Amino acid sequence: EAGVVQSPRYKIIEKKQPVAFWCNPISGHNTLYWYLQNLGQGPELLIRYENEEAVDDSQLPKDRFSAERLKGVDSTLKIQPAELGDSAVYLCASSAAAVADTQYFGPGTRLTVL
Amino acid sequence: KQEVTQIPAALSVPEGENLVLNCSFTDSAIYNLQWFRQDPGKGLTSLLLIQSSQREQTSGRLNASLDKSSGRSTLYIAASQPGDSATYLCAVRDDKIIFGKGTRLHILP
C-alpha cells in the first residue's frame, strides 16, 4: 500500500513569491491534515479536511494561506505571498476516520524563503 | 488550552538499556494519544495509538501507557538499539491535535 505522497520535497523561493504544495493521501482515507513544523518543534495543525470539507482551519493564516481538496482526494496548500517566516517543513497526513484512527504522514516539503 | 510537554528534550543512553520517554498533557478530556518517531529530514512514523479508554499498547519492544487522570503517558523502549535513535513525539487529540516538542534520543553503540 502506497503511503502519503507529497511534492515537491524541497522548494526554495524568494519572499513575496507564491508557492504550492501537493498531497496525495492513502487511498480510502477520508481525513487529510496539513501541518507546519519548525525546527526543533512539534507539528502544528494548519487545516483538517473531512472529505472535501475543511472542518478545522482555525490555525490557517487566511490572509496568505489557502488550501483545497477537490473531490475529497488530493489536496493543495498555497502560500501567496510567501514571507521569510514561512520557512519550515510542511507535512501532510491522512487517516481513515476523523478521530479514532492513526495518522499517517508524508515525508514533507521543506520550504526555504529567501 | 491543551498543552503537551515532553521531558527530557534530549537523551543519550548506551545500547541495550531500557528507557522511558515521558509525555504530559494539561487537559485529561482527550480522545486518544499517539506516539511517533521522526528521523532527520523525514516525516513522522506512527508507533502506537492509545485510545482514551485504554491503559496501554504494545508493539514489539515498545510499550506505551496512558494515565488520563494524571495527564501522563510514557513510552517504554526495551533493549535499545542504535536504530532507535530518532526524535520521539507524542500527540494528544481532543478537539484539536496538539504535539509535544519531542525527545531527541541517541543510542550509543
Side-chain angles (χ1 to χ4, degrees):
Chain A
E1 178 181 281
V4 176
V5 179
Q6 290 188 247
S7 68
R9 290 295 315 278
Y10 305 92
K11 189 73 175 179
I12 300 174
I13 61 172
E14 294 190 347
K15 63 181 180 181
K16 301 185 181 180
Q17 294 299 306
V19 64
F21 314 124
W22 176 81
C23 174
N24 179 244
I26 292 173
S27 178
H29 280 193
N30 296 324
T31 306
L32 184 146
Y33 313 78
W34 282 103
Y35 290 90
L36 177 155
Q37 186 176 26
N38 288 305
L39 188 65
Q41 304 292 316
E44 300 171 26
L45 182 68
L46 292 172
I47 190 168
R48 174 168 64 95
Y49 281 94
E50 297 296 336
N51 298 304
E52 301 90 352
E53 183 183 1
V55 297
D56 184 357
D57 62 356
S58 58
Q59 298 294 99
L60 189 71
K62 298 182 183 63
D63 56 337
R64 296 184 300 106
F65 287 65
S66 65
E68 61 182 9
R69 190 184 185 197
L70 301 176
K71 301 181 181 179
V73 182
D74 295 2
S75 178
T76 303
L77 178 69
K78 298 178 181 178
I79 308 174
Q80 182 170 9
E83 298 179 351
L84 295 176
D86 296 332
S87 295
V89 176
Y90 292 82
L91 295 164
C92 179
S94 69
S95 65
V99 175
D101 281 358
T102 298
Q103 293 184 65
Y104 296 91
F105 280 77
T109 296
R110 181 175 297 277
L111 174 66
T112 301
V113 182
L114 303 176
Chain B
K1 178 184 174 183
Q2 181 76 266
E3 294 181 4
V4 180
T5 303
Q6 292 188 246
I7 295 174
L11 181 65
S12 294
V13 299
E15 179 179 2
E17 284 198 2
N18 304 324
L19 60 99
V20 174
L21 306 181
N22 297 293
C23 173
S24 62
F25 47 95
T26 54
D27 188 342
S28 61
I30 65 171
Y31 295 126
N32 56 49
L33 184 147
Q34 193 166 358
W35 282 94
F36 297 86
R37 72 172 279 168
Q38 187 172 30
D39 294 283
K42 302 291 179 64
L44 280 69
T45 300
S46 177
L47 297 173
L48 292 164
L49 172 68
I50 310 177
Q51 303 295 348
S52 62
S53 59
Q54 298 173 327
R55 296 283 294 184
E56 65 178 338
Q57 284 285 333
T58 298
S59 176
R61 295 183 293 108
L62 305 180
N63 176 276
S65 68
L66 175 63
D67 184 343
K68 278 189 5 176
S69 61
S70 66
R72 294 176 186 273
S73 176
T74 61
L75 179 66
Y76 175 83
I77 302 177
S80 58
Q81 303 171 357
D84 295 331
S85 297
T87 296
Y88 290 79
L89 298 118
C90 67
V92 166
R93 187 153 202 173
D94 45 28
D95 291 336
K96 301 288 185 184
I97 303 165
I98 308 296
F99 278 82
K101 293 183 178 181
T103 294
R104 291 191 314 278
L105 176 64
H106 182 47
I107 305 300
L108 305 168

